[in-house]
Amino acid sequence: MTNMPVGAARDAAHRVVLTGFGVFSSIGVGAAEFAEGLRSGRSGAKPITVFDTEGFEHTNGCEIRDFDPGDWIHRLDVTRLGRASQFSVAAARMAVQDAGLDPAELRDKRGLISIGTTDGESFDLDRLVASQLSEGSANMDSAIAGRIRAGRLSASIAQELELVDVEAVTVPTACAAGNYAIGYGFDAVRSGEVDFALCGGADAMCRKTFAGFYRLGTIAPEKCQPFDVDRKGLLTGEGAGVLMLESLESALARGARIYAEVLGYGLNCDADHQVAPLQSSVAACMDLALRNAGVKPEEVDLISAHGTGTKANDVTESRAIRSVYGDTPPRTVSVKSMLGHTMGAASALAAIACSLAIVHGFIPPTINHGSTDPECEIDCVPNEAVEADLRIVQNNGLAFGGNNAVVLLGRYEA
C-alpha cells in the first residue's frame, strides 16, 4: 500500500475528490489568500467589534471585518439572512465558482448540501433576547425572528443557487460538525447517490458562546497558543468553509482542477462528558478513520489537530495521537492558533487548509508558540511554516458532548 498511488484501489466512479473551495476566515478570503495566510503564519486576533464586550476583561477574537454578503449573494435578500447563513451561502457560491462550475450546470444534477454549525444563528438570538429584555416580548424584532432557524444555513444555499434536486441538511454536531458534513458528502458521492456535494461549516461570532467559554475560564487574554506550556485558552472566531465534492470520474470528465482526494473518515460519540474530550474515544475515532480510508498510521504525513489551546484538549488529543501513532507521530499543527476557534466552521476550514498544504507543499505553523508543554509530546511546527511533500493528511475535529470526527485527505494521484 505504501508505494501505491493514493486511492488506487478504487475506481474513478467511487473515488471522491475536492474541486472547489469557498473560504471566509479572519486570515484570508478565498483559497489563494487563505493559503497565503496559512503559509505566512498570519494571526486573525483582534479586538471584538461585532458585539458589545462591556463587562469582559479580555475581548480579543478572530472576526471577519469588511464582509459584504452582497458581493457573493445575488438572488436572496441578504437582510433576510442571519450572519452565519450569509457566510454559508457566500462560501458555497465561491466554492462553485472555484470549481469552475456555473450554478446552472448543477440544477439538472442530484446534489447534497451538508453544512455543520455550532451556534446556528445565535448572533441574531443574542439580539432577539436583548430586544425582549429592553422592549418586551410583544415588541421583539420579527425580521430577526425569521432568520434564526439553523436549517437556513443549508436551505438558503439551495435557494440562492436555485438547486431543486438536492437534500439540504444542517449538521449540529458543534465543533466537529464540518468533518461530519464532509463525511456525509463523501458517502453520498462515492455511493453514487448524488452527483455532487457542497459540504462544510459556518458560524458567526456571538456573545452567548463568547460568554459561555469565558465562564468556563477558557478565553485567552490576547492570543491562542495550542500545545504551549504557557497556553491560556482559545479565542472565538467566525467564518465558513465549503468544499465541492464530486467523483473522480466527474472531475476528470470536465477537466476540473483537483485539490485533493477524500480517502475516508471516522465518527464516534463516547457520551462521556459534556465538555472534556476522552482520550480513548479520540484515539478510537482516529483508528476508525484510518481503517475506513485503508491507510496505515505510518503513511500519514501530517495531522491537523483540533488543537484549541486549552489544557484539557491539547494534552488529551496529543496523548490520543501517540496512542495511535506511537513514539514518532506525524507533525501535528493547530490552525486555530491563527484562525481562532470558528466552531462549526473549524474542521471544514481545517480540511481546506490540509488540502492547500498538500497542493502547495508546506506545513502551516502553530503560531504564538514559545515552549511546548512536556505533556504534549508532538512536533507542532512552531511559528514558521516548513516545506514538505505531503501525501496523506489527517484532520481532527472534536466537539462537546463527546462527538469526534476525523477525515483523511490524500494527494490526488491518477
Side-chain angles (χ1 to χ4, degrees):
M1 183 69 184
T2 301
N3 296 320
M4 293 173 64
V6 173
R10 305 169 181 135
D11 63 78
H14 297 93
R15 292 173 64 180
V16 180
V17 295
L18 304 173
T19 57
F21 294 149
V23 181
F24 286 86
S25 83
S26 58
I27 68 165
V29 172
E33 191 174 297
F34 188 51
E36 180 186 342
L38 292 166
R39 186 189 283 274
S40 64
R42 186 177 300 154
S43 173
K46 58 183 79 70
I48 294 170
T49 64
V50 73
F51 58 81
D52 183 6
T53 58
E54 184 178 358
F56 296 98
E57 183 177 357
H58 311 309
T59 59
N60 267 3
C62 296
E63 70 180 52
I64 299 175
R65 303 255 177 98
D66 303 322
F67 170 59
D68 184 352
D71 290 343
W72 291 95
I73 301 173
H74 304 152
R75 182 170 180 270
L76 299 181
D77 179 353
V78 297
T79 66
R80 300 178 72 85
L81 296 175
R83 185 170 171 85
S85 294
Q86 291 175 355
F87 283 142
S88 175
V89 175
R93 183 177 283 281
M94 184 188 292
V96 171
Q97 178 176 300
D98 189 53
L101 289 162
D102 187 297
E105 298 177 65
L106 301 177
R107 289 172 194 147
D108 295 329
K109 298 179 182 294
R110 294 169 298 157
L112 169 71
I113 298 168
S114 176
I115 301 296
T117 189
T118 296
D119 292 312
E121 295 293 4
S122 289
F123 175 73
D124 271 342
L125 277 171
D126 286 350
R127 299 169 67 193
L128 204 60
V129 171
S131 71
Q132 180 186 28
L133 293 173
S134 63
E135 301 172 35
S137 299
N139 296 309
M140 291 166 70
D141 189 317
S142 59
I144 294 177
R147 299 197 299 241
I148 60 176
R149 288 183 297 107
R152 298 201 66 184
L153 271 70
S154 53
S156 296
I157 293 173
Q159 292 171 332
E160 169 67 15
L161 301 178
E162 299 181 87
L163 304 177
V164 296
D165 190 11
V166 295
E167 176 187 357
V169 293
T170 298
V171 182
T173 46
C175 307
N179 271 354
Y180 268 81
I182 293 168
Y184 192 30
F186 174 66
D187 280 343
V189 172
R190 73 169 167 171
S191 68
E193 182 181 344
V194 301
D195 300 312
F196 71 92
L198 286 165
C199 305
D203 260 308
M205 289 176 65
C206 63
R207 185 182 171 92
K208 179 267 292 178
T209 291
F210 177 79
F213 278 107
Y214 208 102
R215 291 291 294 161
L216 289 171
T218 57
I219 292 291
E222 296 180 357
K223 56 191 178 183
C224 179
Q225 299 171 270
F227 308 117
D228 194 289
V229 70
D230 292 322
R231 75 174 81 73
K232 294 180 175 61
L234 57 84
L235 296 179
T236 59
E238 65 180 0
V242 174
L243 305 85
M244 171 64 79
L245 279 62
E246 60 184 302
S247 70
L248 174 60
E249 183 178 61
S250 165
L252 293 176
R254 66 183 189 85
R257 170 194 49 203
I258 296 172
Y259 284 110
E261 178 170 1
V262 186
L263 302 179
Y265 71 100
L267 312 174
N268 67 2
C269 178
D270 52 64
D272 179 68
H273 193 278
Q274 178 57 30
V275 298
L278 180 65
Q279 179 183 329
S280 61
S281 174
V282 174
C285 191
M286 288 189 270
D287 185 60
L288 281 171
L290 289 166
R291 285 191 281 121
N292 183 254
V295 169
K296 299 173 184 174
E298 59 268 27
E299 295 177 304
V300 176
D301 300 308
L302 172 67
I303 296 174
S304 173
H306 188 60
T308 57
T310 63
K311 186 176 181 68
N313 177 93
D314 293 356
V315 173
T316 301
E317 186 176 16
S318 57
R319 288 177 175 171
I321 288 169
R322 288 180 68 88
S323 75
V324 173
Y325 285 91
D327 293 337
T328 55
R331 284 181 282 194
T332 300
V333 301
S334 172
V335 297
K336 288 184 180 68
S337 62
M338 294 178 264
L339 308 176
H341 195 333
T342 55
M343 306 297 156
S347 52
L349 285 167
I352 294 173
C354 292
S355 303
L356 294 172
I358 291 171
V359 170
H360 297 295
F362 74 99
I363 297 178
T366 302
I367 67 168
N368 305 319
H369 200 77
S371 179
T372 301
D373 184 344
E375 294 188 79
C376 301
E377 297 178 280
I378 56 169
D379 175 2
C380 68
V381 188
N383 302 319
E384 300 285 340
V386 298
E387 302 302 308
D389 181 22
L390 302 175
R391 183 169 171 268
I392 298 178
V393 178
Q394 174 180 307
N395 183 40
N396 288 357
L398 317 180
F400 283 179
N403 281 308
N404 306 306
V406 176
V407 169
L408 268 294
L409 301 170
R411 182 172 63 207
Y412 166 62
E413 296 172 352

